[in-house]
Amino acid sequence: MNNHHYNFNLESLIRKNILRMDPYISARKEHKSKQKYIFLDANENSFGSTLSFFNSYNRYPDPFQKKLKERISKLKNIPISNIFLGNGSDEIIDLIYRIFSRPEIDNSIIFPPTYGMYEVLGNIHGANIIKIPLTKEKFQLNIEKIKETINKYSKIIFLCSPNNPTGNDLIKKDIKTLLKIFTGIIVLDEAYIDFSHEKSFYTEIYKYPNLIVIQTLSKSWGLAGLRIGIGIASEEIIKWMNKIKSPYNISVISQEIAIKALENQDLFFFHIKNIISERKYMESVLNKITIIKKVYPSSSNFLLVKTNFSSTKLYKYLINKRIFVRDRTKILLCNDCLRITIGTHEENKCLLNYIKKYSLSI
Ligand SMILES: *Cc1c(COP(=O)(O)O)cnc(C)c1O
């Protein structure tokens, strides 16, 4: 491994209880095809489920999701040993806290306004959450402030690019700077990367042993209901995640359906193309409406939009019209901002008409 960190030592970052513990050994280490064997090792119901159609839901899923990982491995051109699958990205974030962050001792650094789960999960784990706001309007990292703030208890830095709820990419050079100077773990959440012109960072895991890239099937692949998050990192980090995850963290159905969905890459690209063209359409129309003060540039499947007055009033008006958007006015640097997910053309037209109507009525 081309290790740029002179003083990076993964084991020294792992919590002692995790280092020492013995993992749960699931009944079936090798997940064999269900037909050829008699399985009396996992206390499953051999008679089957109560569903009337044939299925194998009476059997536990493959704990390491080999088939699904093989597909993702092919798609991303990255070995299976560098891939971890979680029950949503949120499970992966949760596991990262458990592995690295000593409760009540260590801190994690986040950059608001950003995805809320970094703080929520940190609080659950007793991590001290240090917040360093992104710069105003451009929503970029304040590298000098970050350098000043990092201390020996700083274990995890959470970066989100493109960032939620602001929609912008973080500057690549800044991400690299942090990867080089920080001796703890850097989590780079790329939930929206497929909507961006920027390239994913996951190819950099060989260069930066402290990097964990997180992606998800919830957004660009349209599979939020399946709950599948993807962690990409060094083999060593992936091993620690596998050691402590719950054995059957992704259901049979989720695995099967994800494998099917990932086959249809043409439709995936088609959806992305449509979402990006709808994003441009929304941006251009919103910019012409008087109550819209600013539409922030977006590399994601949503727009952050600043209104000239109370965003909450517009938010409530839209709910009355049976349209849900996200009111972000209480979030740092997002005063009077709505976060609007890009919908289908019909949905977007409907939303824009109501915003125009409202704009004329006040
Ligand atoms: C939506 C989103 C996720 C996805 O979470 P899942 O648990 O995989 O559905 C992760 N990070 C960010 C920033 C998000 O906005």
Side-chain angles (χ1 to χ4, degrees), residues 112-124:
T114 194
Y115 186 48
M117 287 306 284
Y118 312 140
E119 183 172 6
V120 171
L121 291 168
N123 285 337
I124 292 170

Side-chain angles (χ1 to χ4, degrees), residues 86-91 93 114-116 118 160 162-164 189-192 214-219 224 227-230 302 339:
N87 197 307
S89 314
D90 296 342
E91 184 193 10
I93 297 166
T114 194
Y115 186 48
Y118 312 140
C160 188
N163 186 42
N164 177 3
D189 188 341
E190 293 186 335
Y192 300 98
I214 297 180
Q215 296 187 355
T216 178
L217 300 188
S218 296
K219 309 285 160 59
R227 311 303 305 125
I228 295 177
I230 306 170
F302 57 84
R339 192 195 69 190

Side-chain angles (χ1 to χ4, degrees), residues 80-122:
I80 286 182
S81 52
N82 295 113
I83 301 172
F84 178 87
L85 299 181
N87 197 307
S89 314
D90 296 342
E91 184 193 10
I92 301 179
I93 297 166
D94 190 71
L95 292 175
I96 293 169
Y97 272 118
R98 294 198 207 190
I99 295 170
F100 297 106
S101 180
R102 292 168 298 174
E104 321 299 338
I105 299 173
D106 291 327
N107 65 66
S108 287
I109 306 177
I110 66 168
F111 309 102
T114 194
Y115 186 48
M117 287 306 284
Y118 312 140
E119 183 172 6
V120 171
L121 291 168

Side-chain angles (χ1 to χ4, degrees), residues 132 138 218 305:
I132 305 175
K138 293 270 189 247
S218 296
V305 172

